[in-house]
């Protein structure tokens, strides 16, 4: 695969959201994950939340068993989640902030204030071979702190850019994009691998995909939504096409 290849991680949380709406086993997030793999996903992302509102422990067991591509396991920095990650040793662990009442991961992690605690938290994960990623806002202080605690990867939160775009606040969207661009370059200059995600759609993906420092995008809600209209495979293939177009 070329150096320039931008990886697409498909987040399957919201297949589980639909399944859980009826409390049964359908639709199966594992089936979606296998289909996403066949459609060209370079990885699968799943967030095991404290309240298990979408992905379940059994889903993580299953994903670890059936996937041929790497699993990016999103989790909060809690003892319970650390134990689960240490048992499974997924390819990557992405540490995200988590609030019980939020609908989705609203902001980036506050690394600078929790540096010591987080450094101790991620060390055992790194020791067992997980690539540790920290989900943060495009903020130099947070990036420097993520670097200091020993993270290998940061994932930049694209939510503020996508929200501004969706609400037609184009000046704000341009500004957010500029911060993402500058902070991608800054993080890379420290030797961090840069990922990005949250809220990305066909309309917003290309400018982010064009940043040469970004190695991976993690996209979920829009793709699962769009699969209602297009089907999961074409929805992913179209995202892949736009990412490749932005990169050339
Ligand atoms: N990256 C991270 C760290 C996330 O927490 C999420 C949402 O679970 C995503 C990417 C994907 O966001 P979306 O579902 O809005 O595409």
């Amino acid at each position: 695969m070329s150096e320039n290849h931008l990886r697409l991680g498909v987040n399957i949380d919201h297949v589980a959201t639909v399944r859980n709406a009826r409390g049964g086993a359908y639709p199966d997030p594992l089936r979606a994950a296998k289909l996403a793999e066949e459609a060209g996903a370079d990885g699968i992302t799943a967030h095991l939340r404290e309240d298990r509102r979408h992905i379940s422990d059994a889903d993580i067991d299953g994903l670890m068993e059936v996937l041929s591509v790497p699993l990016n396991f999103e989790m909060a920095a809690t003892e319970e989640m650390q134990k689960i990650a240490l048992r499974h040793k997924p390819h990557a662990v992405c540490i995200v902030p988590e609030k019980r009442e939020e609908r989705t991961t609203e902001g980036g992690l506050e690394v600078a204030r929790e540096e010591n605690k987080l450094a101790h938290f991620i060390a055992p994960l790194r020791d067992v071979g997980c690539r540790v990623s920290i989900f943060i806002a495009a903020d130099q202080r947070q990036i420097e702190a993520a670097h200091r605690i020993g993270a290998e990867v940061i994932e930049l939160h694209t939510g503020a850019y996508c929200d501004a775009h969706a609400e037609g606040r184009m000046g704000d969207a341009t500004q957010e994009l500029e911060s993402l661009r500058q902070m991608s370059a800054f993080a890379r200059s420290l030797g961090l691998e840069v990922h990005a995600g949250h809220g990305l759609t066909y309309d917003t993906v290309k400018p982010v995909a064009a940043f040469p420092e970004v190695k991976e995008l993690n996209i979920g809600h829009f793709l699962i939504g769009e699969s209602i209209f297009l089907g999961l495979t074409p929805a992913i293939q179209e995202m892949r096409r736009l990412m490749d177009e932005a990169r050339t």
Side-chain angles (χ1 to χ4, degrees), residues 11 13-14 47 74 94 96 104-105 135 155 197-200 218-222:
N11 181 315
D13 291 351
H14 297 300
H47 182 178
E74 280 182 17
C94 180
V96 301
T104 182
T105 316
F135 189 45
E155 180 165 332
H198 208 283
L200 290 168
N218 284 301
I219 309 179
H221 183 264
F222 176 80

Side-chain angles (χ1 to χ4, degrees), residues 24 81 175 181 191 198 205 225:
M81 289 300 152
Q175 250 179 29
R181 190 186 66 73
H198 208 283
V205 74

Side-chain angles (χ1 to χ4, degrees), residues 9-236:
V10 173
N11 181 315
I12 53 155
D13 291 351
H14 297 300
V15 179
T17 304
V18 176
R19 175 195 60 193
N20 295 0
R22 285 292 171 94
Y26 181 87
D28 180 7
L30 266 56
R31 183 175 163 201
K34 289 305 285 178
L35 207 56
E37 249 181 30
E38 285 162 25
D42 301 285
I44 298 297
T45 294
H47 182 178
L48 185 66
R49 293 185 75 105
E50 186 197 8
D51 61 9
R52 308 302 198 268
R53 72 173 69 153
H54 37 57
I55 293 293
S56 68
D57 297 69
D59 292 331
I60 299 293
D61 295 346
L63 287 168
M64 284 303 296
E65 222 169 274
V66 305
L67 286 184
S68 322
V69 296
L71 175 67
N72 176 31
F73 179 55
E74 280 182 17
M75 57 177 236
T78 66
E79 224 175 278
E80 181 200 17
M81 289 300 152
Q82 191 193 48
K83 268 196 204 132
I84 295 170
L86 289 173
R87 181 153 46 82
H88 284 301
K89 304 181 186 60
H91 166 81
V93 170
C94 180
I95 313 288
V96 301
E98 203 174 291
K99 285 191 230 122
R100 214 166 244 270
E101 65 279 11
E102 71 189 354
R103 261 185 279 176
T104 182
T105 316
E106 281 165 3
L109 197 68
E110 176 49 65
V111 196
R113 239 189 292 137
E114 307 260 6
E115 224 173 291
N116 247 337
K117 190 178 140 216
L118 283 168
H120 283 104
F121 185 82
I122 69 170
L125 297 167
R126 289 196 56 182
D127 289 347
V128 298
C130 299
R131 277 175 80 69
V132 176
S133 160
I134 310 281
F135 189 45
I136 48 181
D139 173 337
Q140 184 164 332
R141 254 180 69 246
Q142 303 296 346
I143 294 169
E144 285 167 343
H147 181 242
R148 279 196 299 272
I149 65 169
E152 294 162 282
V153 182
I154 56 151
E155 180 165 332
L156 291 175
H157 198 311
T158 52
Y161 155 61
C162 292
D163 286 349
H165 191 283
E167 290 159 18
R169 292 182 283 111
M170 291 310 169
D172 291 345
T174 304
Q175 250 179 29
E176 294 292 346
L177 201 55
E178 181 54 19
S179 301
L180 289 164
R181 190 186 66 73
Q182 285 180 14
M183 290 303 110
S184 301
F186 175 67
R188 193 65 209 118
S189 75
L190 298 179
L192 290 160
E193 182 170 308
V194 183
H195 299 176
H198 208 283
L200 290 168
T201 66
Y202 294 154
D203 290 336
T204 50
V205 74
K206 283 178 90 170
V208 181
F211 300 154
E213 296 86 4
V214 175
K215 292 290 286 180
E216 177 175 309
L217 298 180
N218 284 301
I219 309 179
H221 183 264
F222 176 80
L223 284 176
I224 303 307
E226 200 59 12
S227 75
I228 294 169
F229 306 108
L230 300 182
L232 186 58
T233 300
I236 292 171

